[in-house]
Amino acid sequence: MTSSLDNDIPTIEELSEIHIADIHHIEKKHEMRPKAYSLPERRTAQQQPQGSKKRSRFGTIKQSVKRQISGSIRSIGAYAGRIAKPANAYFRWNLLFTFLIFLFISSAIWIPCIPAVNDFALEIVTIISIILHCLWIIAIINALRYTWRLRRFASHEIRLDLVKNEAGIKMKHLVGLCVYKEPLDLLMDTIDSIASQPNAKEKITCLVGMEGGTPDKEEKKRILDDKYGPQFERFIVTFHPRGLPGDIPGKCSNFNYAARTAVKILRADKNYPLEEYDNNVELIVTTGDCDSVFGDRYFDALEEDYWKLSPKQRSYTVWQSPLFYCINLDQSPFFVRVTGLLRAFFMMGYLIPWNINTMSIFSLTLKLFEEGEYTHPGYQMDDIIALIRWSLAVRRKCVIRAIPVATLSGPTSGKNYVDEWYEWARQIRRWTIGAAEVFHYFAIKFFRLPVSVSISFAAKFVFYYGFLLCIASVYTIIAPLVTPAMLNAVDHGVHGLVIPNNKCFMIIMFGFLGLQYIWFFVVFLVNYLCQPVFPRQTKDKTGFIRNIFHWLMTWPTLVMYCCVELVAFLEVTVRGKSVCSHNASKKDNLVAPVPSKQPDRMEV
């Protein structure tokens, strides 16, 4: 590329004059690499430039930018949506998921009714319970292993100056946050945790993707620009237009638009060392939530692990930081706090070591991000679907590697106890519907991956989202009660091949329940052991008595969780694709600590 062309490419200062919300008016005439699903920008005959063939390709860039009219900017074109493939809104593969769930739950009814099989119906329930507890033991081992890594890494010195970098690769970061109606103070708290990272001014570009319907978005953009513009290498705010083809409301579509826009702006900035074919710059894309606190040294720890891998390994690796829902968690009611503790435990116990899916905050190379077509704007759960899309892009299993740095996220919150309950249930419903839709997406892409990868992922996904989160707790109530009753109903008698009578069976079941509470104690213990490495020295200040109460209420909380999931699966089965949208949870009470005394909020 000649220097004359470089002089005509705008800098980031000139690009900042573009009204990002109106960037979809910019032409795509000189788009270098149009994506397969990107729709071309519509242009009328009156919009066609006169005499453009006689002009230099970049001759009028600065003029068109400064006038804020449609111009020709290399690599910058409005993302105009995608062509959604025809699909049935009701007959979808999530029906199979729902069928498997209810088939398993109802097994306590139909197994005792099958001759010969009912001879060992009690043993079947016992074996299933044993398998469940074995899986809990696996989760405990994994969670304690990651807890040890987090605590050990806290005293580890990161020496990026000693890494073997023969190619002279420059590490850069693009960190994206999406926001709709969340409080600005909450978003700024998250950005502060990014700005406090080492060398943020030299290597981090912060991207804030606002929805077009965000209240007072222009004023919020001005406040953010004024405060954070000087603290990052680049600071970009985008506005996601409503009604783009193929989009559904939610973080997926918002981040898809924001990330595409930000990457094109960076590529067009002559002062930013990112070119499409420049191998000397590695841009790592990190997505986060607006209610998060990034762990201390998150990006340095990420870079250190990056250099431990070969170039080939980096091409299919996604980095995930263990996530703890500990922002004002001690002020939450028991069902919110217990759910937050369990989610953090399951992330370290299953999601990361089993490569099931990423969650909320994760990182990957720009190359893998682009090969996977950014995020899918037609689905609501960007984190659950992400690993599948990127595995499809590289035609092999993508690997989740843990960054040994604790990151905080906010739990659901409400103004009072009833509001807390509603938000908690609404969030679970959204997670469940999102998981059902991701299962549909995976099923239709099943044969595009190696068979062993597809079968392994399907087994782990169904186990975690179907069996563990949706079935297990309800089954442990239904099976011990219904199975003996059904055996009596068919005149078989409550006995099995090994278990002699109902009394012995109930003793075994109560023994399993007691064992379950030992596993619940470990969940609370893991949270306590990880607190010393939480960012900003955050502590869960829940008292001893409330901790005991929450421990006792863990099993009822899981039962309620399962019931909400079962209803959500039925809802997506009946209503189909129309229920799939990302309704943001309320975050108002995460801005500042909730007062310790509130007449309308029960301290449980």
Side-chain angles (χ1 to χ4, degrees), residues 58 342 419:
F58 304 101
L342 286 170
D419 200 29

Side-chain angles (χ1 to χ4, degrees), residues 17 84 95 155 171 188 208 221 227 235 277 322 461 521 539 579 581 603:
E17 297 178 15
L95 295 178
S155 58
M171 298 296 295
M188 294 173 71
V208 177
K221 178 182 183 300
K227 179 176 181 180
F235 187 80
Y277 307 106
F461 189 90
F521 171 78
K539 301 293 182 183
V579 301
S581 63
E603 288 297 328

Side-chain angles (χ1 to χ4, degrees), residues 327-487:
I327 299 178
N328 292 346
L329 191 62
D330 54 308
Q331 299 293 336
S332 299
F334 73 88
F335 47 89
V336 174
R337 182 167 180 263
V338 167
T339 302
L341 297 181
L342 286 170
R343 290 189 70 196
F345 175 82
F346 288 151
M347 169 172 280
M348 295 188 293
Y350 296 118
L351 294 183
I352 296 177
W354 284 14
N355 285 293
I356 297 178
N357 62 257
T358 52
M359 187 63 68
S360 298
I361 298 174
F362 50 92
S363 306
L364 70 160
T365 64
L366 176 62
K367 183 177 183 295
L368 180 57
F369 193 48
E370 289 189 313
E371 286 178 346
E373 291 287 328
Y374 293 78
T375 57
H376 198 307
Y379 284 80
Q380 64 187 90
M381 305 299 289
D382 67 313
D383 39 20
I384 300 180
I385 199 175
L387 205 67
I388 302 174
R389 284 175 59 79
W390 298 326
S391 295
L392 288 168
V394 297
R395 293 295 192 272
R396 58 152 297 153
K397 179 181 72 174
C398 281
V399 176
I400 301 176
R401 286 181 64 91
I403 303 174
V405 173
T407 302
L408 301 185
S409 185
T412 57
S413 67
K415 296 179 180 179
N416 51 56
Y417 199 81
V418 175
D419 200 29
E420 289 268 18
W421 193 293
Y422 173 77
E423 287 296 319
W424 173 81
R426 191 165 72 101
Q427 183 81 315
I428 296 171
R429 170 187 174 274
R430 182 174 66 83
W431 291 333
T432 305
I433 292 174
E437 275 296 280
V438 170
F439 180 82
H440 166 77
Y441 180 85
F442 167 73
I444 61 179
K445 307 289 186 181
F446 185 93
F447 293 104
R448 291 180 57 184
L449 286 171
V451 175
S452 59
V453 175
S454 294
I455 293 176
S456 173
F457 178 82
K460 291 182 289 188
F461 189 90
V462 171
F463 157 72
Y464 181 74
Y465 285 102
F467 183 71
L468 183 66
L469 295 184
C470 188
I471 298 175
S473 296
V474 174
Y475 182 82
T476 56
I477 295 176
I478 294 177
L481 300 176
V482 174
T483 300
M486 291 303 298
L487 288 173

Side-chain angles (χ1 to χ4, degrees), residues 16 220-230 235-237:
S16 64
K220 292 177 179 178
K221 178 182 183 300
R222 184 192 64 78
I223 294 173
L224 294 175
D225 282 335
D226 291 345
K227 179 176 181 180
Y228 296 109
F235 187 80
I236 302 172
V237 177

Side-chain angles (χ1 to χ4, degrees), residues 177-194 208 220 223-224 227-228 288-294 326-328 408-413 536 584-593:
L177 307 172
C178 292
V179 63
Y180 180 32
K181 294 183 179 180
E182 290 81 0
L184 184 61
D185 289 342
L186 184 65
L187 172 64
M188 294 173 71
D189 198 42
T190 301
I191 301 176
D192 286 338
S193 71
I194 304 172
V208 177
K220 292 177 179 178
I223 294 173
L224 294 175
K227 179 176 181 180
Y228 296 109
D289 290 338
C290 65
D291 61 337
S292 305
V293 177
F294 279 76
C326 203
I327 299 178
N328 292 346
L408 301 185
S409 185
T412 57
S413 67
R536 302 176 180 175
S585 300
K586 293 181 180 179
K587 305 291 183 181
D588 301 70
N589 289 335
L590 299 179
V591 177

Side-chain angles (χ1 to χ4, degrees), residues 201-243:
K201 177 66 176 176
E202 287 74 36
K203 63 183 181 182
I204 297 180
T205 295
C206 185
L207 166 66
V208 177
M210 294 187 185
E211 288 289 352
T214 298
D216 304 318
K217 58 180 183 292
E218 293 290 352
E219 177 61 17
K220 292 177 179 178
K221 178 182 183 300
R222 184 192 64 78
I223 294 173
L224 294 175
D225 282 335
D226 291 345
K227 179 176 181 180
Y228 296 109
Q231 298 187 43
F232 292 100
E233 186 175 22
R234 301 288 187 274
F235 187 80
I236 302 172
V237 177
T238 65
F239 299 141
H240 177 214
R242 292 180 176 179

